């Protein structure tokens, strides 16, 4: 009898706990949080501050400024680059701000904002490399890239290229350093930042900039209302000077 009573009490307790948890869940929508997916090893666009581990970068600041205009709090969700669009489609995140180039292929799956940054692809090789001076000379070479990126797509079109794909750009640079690759193909501002932050000790930029690319903020196809709000906020931060301020802070020059 006592055992049965205990079981019954346990059941009541369980129901109460679940009920309370449910209430807590119902209260949270009051805090308007915008979950923004980013692959956070891509400085100067999104990365973690060494000591605090806080997410920082151009995209992070732009999203915070956009969030402020929309009255929403931005929360960065660190996600592998090739997992960002699936996470958006699966509603784990509300938006992507990850130096993501607007491409026709991606635009079939997501809703892109107006472009917010002009970029392009470039090549990094070891300082003593004299054989690779442009994209043509990447033929037959071992090229390190980040998986799922426009850089990866571009090098796959190069004749006989031995493409090595990594989860992050930093792993691609490490492979170059370790002589496991002859070149890294990645976004120009990220290559420049890598070289400026110590990479130039044994690596250099070569050749022309390939593909004029533009970054966009992505939201789910069905989220047209959010897409509109983000575009409006982007216009506002361009008008009120906030965009230029953030741009200068990260790139040391006025927006192009
Ligand atoms: N801009 C490139 C792309 O969209 C790389 C972005 C990234 O690695 N974060 O594919």
């Amino acid at each position: 009898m006592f055992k049965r009573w205990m079981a019954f009490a346990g059941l009541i307790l369980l129901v109460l706990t679940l009920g309370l948890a449910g209430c807590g869940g119902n209260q949270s929508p009051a805090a308007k949080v915008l979950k923004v997916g980013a692959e956070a090893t891509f400085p100067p666009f999104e990365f973690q501050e060494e000591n605090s581990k806080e997410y920082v970068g151009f995209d992070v600041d732009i999203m915070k400024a956009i969030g402020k205009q929309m009255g929403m709090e931005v929360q960065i969700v660190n996600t592998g680059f090739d997992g960002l669009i699936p996470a958006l489609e699966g509603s784990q995140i509300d938006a992507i701000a990850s130096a993501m180039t607007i491409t026709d292929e991606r635009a079939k799956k997501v809703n892109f904002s107006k472009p917010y940054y002009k970029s392009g692809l470039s090549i990094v090789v070891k300082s003593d490399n004299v054989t690779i001076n442009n994209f043509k000379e990447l033929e037959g070479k071992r090229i390190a890239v980040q998986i799922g990126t426009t850089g990866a797509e571009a090098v796959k079109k190069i004749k006989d290229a031995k493409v090595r794909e990594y989860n992050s750009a930093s792993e691609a640079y490490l492979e170059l350093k370790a002589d496991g690759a002859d070149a890294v193909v990645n976004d120009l501002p990220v290559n420049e930042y890598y070289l400026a932050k110590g990479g130039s000790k044994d690596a250099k930029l070569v050749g022309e900039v390939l593909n004029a690319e533009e970054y966009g903020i992505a939201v789910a196809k069905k989220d047209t209302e959010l897409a509109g709000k983000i575009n409006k906020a982007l216009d506002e931060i361009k008008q009120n000077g906030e965009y230029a301020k953030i741009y200068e802070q990260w790139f040391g020059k006025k927006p192009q």
Side-chain angles (χ1 to χ4, degrees):
M1 184 66 194
F2 180 68
K3 260 196 194 157
R4 257 171 114 187
W5 186 84
M6 281 292 282
F8 183 65
L11 195 70
I12 297 268
L13 207 66
L14 186 73
V15 169
L16 276 177
T17 320
L18 286 177
L20 282 177
C23 286
N26 288 340
Q27 279 160 7
S28 60
K32 286 189 266 169
V33 174
L34 187 70
K35 283 196 222 152
V36 178
E39 190 282 301
T41 60
F42 210 62
F45 293 94
E46 39 271 326
F47 58 109
Q48 281 174 284
E49 216 259 319
E50 219 168 293
N51 299 318
S52 67
K53 300 283 173 237
E54 215 182 293
Y55 294 112
V56 293
F58 177 74
D59 288 348
V60 177
D61 286 347
I62 291 291
M63 281 318 296
K64 281 186 184 163
I66 285 177
K68 197 170 152 207
Q69 293 303 121
M70 304 194 317
M72 290 181 90
E73 189 194 316
V74 167
Q75 185 193 325
I76 301 293
V77 182
N78 196 358
T79 309
F81 193 75
D82 58 344
L84 286 167
I85 292 181
L88 194 62
E89 290 175 325
S91 302
Q92 285 108 301
I93 51 175
D94 307 309
I96 300 170
S98 197
M100 185 174 270
T101 302
I102 301 171
T103 67
D104 292 343
E105 199 56 37
R106 289 172 182 159
K108 283 182 197 148
K109 299 182 191 156
V110 303
N111 232 326
F112 276 113
S113 69
K114 295 177 188 173
Y116 70 91
Y117 184 87
K118 282 191 173 63
S119 191
L121 296 174
S122 69
I123 311 167
V124 175
V125 295
K126 278 285 187 69
S127 307
D128 56 4
N129 184 312
V130 288
T131 54
I132 301 171
N133 300 291
N134 49 51
F135 275 91
K136 177 89 185 121
E137 287 171 350
L138 285 174
E139 286 182 3
K141 296 289 193 291
R142 300 168 306 162
I143 313 167
V145 292
Q146 184 181 3
I147 200 162
T149 61
T150 48
E153 286 310 308
V155 300
K156 282 177 192 165
K157 293 184 195 134
I158 296 173
K159 202 168 144 263
D160 299 328
K162 297 172 189 74
V163 181
R164 314 262 153 102
E165 295 180 272
Y166 297 92
N167 281 326
S168 66
S170 44
E171 285 167 79
Y173 295 128
L174 275 177
E175 197 59 15
L176 176 72
K177 209 180 171 73
D179 287 321
D182 305 303
V184 170
V185 170
N186 191 20
D187 296 22
L188 176 67
V190 178
N191 280 341
E192 285 177 332
Y193 193 87
Y194 168 72
L195 295 173
K197 293 287 168 185
S200 65
K201 278 199 288 284
D202 57 10
K204 64 181 177 183
L205 210 57
V206 291
E208 71 284 15
V209 175
L210 186 77
N211 287 3
E213 295 190 4
E214 289 181 312
Y215 298 162
I217 299 156
V219 300
K221 268 277 182 230
K222 57 178 189 312
D223 249 344
T224 43
E225 195 187 328
L226 180 60
K229 281 186 187 164
I230 288 178
N231 271 335
K232 183 169 166 274
L234 196 55
D235 283 344
E236 286 164 1
I237 63 166
K238 282 194 172 169
Q239 267 148 30
N240 71 14
E242 194 63 23
Y243 176 91
K245 205 173 106 193
I246 296 169
Y247 192 104
E248 282 189 61
Q249 189 186 321
W250 287 103
F251 303 106
K253 57 187 177 199
K254 292 207 183 319
Q256 303 149 297

